[in-house]
């Protein structure tokens, strides 16, 4: 669906960032800000957001899954195709905004920069699955890898991604920042190292022009 710039049109917003950057912590804050501004919003996540997507998510995060890189990539896009069909496109068509915890920008960062899959191959899948639809605003919570890891260190066993080496997450971070630099119209980089209150001030400012 081509998007225009009218403040009345439904908007597709995503939260991105490395492990422990604060996406889950901040998504409900953003939802409340949008609702307070009179916006009807659907909050969802990737991989996931549908029954099939959540099943694929469980397989993708399971440390017992033996997935080659192309399988991982295709599972992300399989979950995304279902998510677009069942949740995202219908919500936008109803006039709702969509707030999604990760989307294709994560695929470029994790499967592209992290795993080393050719970015052009990802772009082909993006166009195949999404057509022209892209997030209107990508809120990139940025922080050093070690800080994110420390923040999630206290919780249960690491999932299949969290088991990766520091160098993998550094490539992911660098990749996200390159995307943001290449596309300043859509991306807003949020300094996620500061207090939650200051992160949320930045998030407010990053969506203010859309409201
Ligand atoms: N993936 C996903 C791909 O490889 N390709 C893709 O295309 C897609 C869509 C699952 C995995 O899938 C991969 C990437 C992921 O590895 P996920 O569950 O969304 O995706 O991602 P995770 O990064 O694993 O989610 P996390 O829960 O680990 O990180 P969050 O949500 O960014 O962090 P959050 O909010 O849980 O915060 C972590 C801790 O930090 C504290 C919080 O209280 C919490 O304890 N915190 C702060 N502390 C101090 N100051 C602040 N400002 C703080 N903000 C949060």
């Amino acid at each position: 669906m081509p998007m225009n710039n009218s403040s009345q049109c439904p908007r597709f917003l995503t939260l991105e960032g490395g492990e422990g950057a604060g996406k889950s912590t901040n998504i409900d804050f953003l939802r409340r800000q949008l609702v307070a501004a009179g916006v009807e919003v659907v909050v969802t996540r990737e991989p996931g957001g549908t029954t099939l997507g959540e099943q694929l998510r469980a397989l993708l995060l399971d440390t017992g899954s033996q997935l080659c890189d192309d399988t991982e990539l295709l599972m992300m896009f399989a979950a995304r195709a279902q998510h677009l069909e069942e949740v995202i496109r219908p919500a936008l068509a109803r006039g709702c905004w969509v707030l999604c915890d990760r989307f294709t920008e994560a695929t470029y960062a994790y499967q592209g920069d992290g795993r080393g899959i050719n970015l052009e191959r990802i772009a082909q899948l993006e166009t195949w699955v999404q057509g022209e639809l892209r997030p209107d605003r990508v809120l990139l919570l940025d922080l050093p890898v070690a800080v994110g890891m420390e923040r999630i260190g206290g919780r249960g066993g690491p999932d299949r991604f969290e088991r990766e080496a520091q160098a993998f997450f550094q490539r992911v971070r660098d990749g996200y920042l390159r995307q943001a630099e290449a596309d300043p119209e859509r991306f807003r980089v949020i300094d996620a190292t500061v207090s939650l209150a200051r992160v949320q001030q930045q998030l407010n400012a990053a969506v203010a022009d859309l409201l």
Side-chain angles (χ1 to χ4, degrees):
M1 173 190 294
M3 294 286 157
N4 65 44
N5 288 324
S6 151
S7 61
Q8 271 76 43
C9 78
R11 298 290 189 173
F12 181 19
L13 314 184
T14 61
L15 270 171
E16 295 283 357
E19 310 295 303
K23 298 175 305 303
S24 314
T25 305
N26 286 297
I27 204 156
D28 192 55
F29 166 79
L30 263 179
R31 185 192 63 77
R32 282 184 276 113
Q33 298 305 103
L34 296 176
V35 169
V39 165
E40 201 178 331
V41 58
V42 170
V43 176
T44 185
R45 70 172 181 179
E46 290 212 347
T50 65
T51 303
L52 176 70
E54 293 296 328
Q55 289 167 343
L56 288 169
R57 178 188 178 93
L59 284 171
L60 281 157
L61 299 190
D62 184 349
T63 52
S65 297
Q66 304 288 321
L67 306 178
C68 75
D69 292 350
D70 280 351
T71 302
E72 181 181 285
L73 172 69
L74 292 167
M75 284 170 71
M76 291 293 176
F77 272 105
R80 187 161 297 138
Q82 196 70 23
H83 196 200
L84 284 161
E85 173 74 16
E86 279 188 36
V87 177
I88 297 175
R89 287 188 191 281
L92 294 171
R94 287 198 306 276
C96 295
W97 289 36
V98 174
L99 182 53
C100 191
D101 186 341
R102 296 194 187 277
F103 195 65
T104 302
E105 287 65 23
T107 311
Y108 280 106
Y110 281 78
Q111 281 65 52
D113 297 289
R115 301 280 189 230
I117 294 178
N118 188 309
L119 298 180
E120 186 48 43
R121 184 175 288 190
I122 297 174
Q124 286 168 5
L125 287 168
E126 181 181 40
T127 299
W128 179 16
V129 169
Q130 296 167 220
E132 289 180 23
L133 181 64
R134 302 288 181 275
D136 297 293
R137 178 83 21 106
V138 181
L139 303 161
L140 173 57
L141 293 165
D142 178 60
L143 83 179
V145 173
V147 179
M149 287 303 170
E150 199 179 310
R151 285 188 185 170
I152 63 171
R155 62 191 191 199
D159 65 34
R160 203 172 60 82
F161 288 97
E162 290 165 356
R163 284 179 150 195
E164 289 297 330
Q166 169 122 357
F168 174 88
F169 294 113
Q170 190 60 51
R171 291 196 298 278
V172 168
R173 183 187 185 198
D174 294 344
Y176 268 133
L177 290 172
R178 266 197 307 277
Q179 290 185 60
E181 201 179 352
D183 194 355
E185 280 273 304
R186 290 194 312 131
F187 276 76
R188 296 291 180 276
V189 180
I190 310 293
D191 175 3
T193 61
V194 296
S195 70
L196 202 49
R198 287 177 61 198
V199 168
Q200 292 177 347
Q201 277 172 4
Q202 295 176 72
L203 287 169
N204 263 335
V207 297
D209 63 309
L210 300 177
L211 289 167

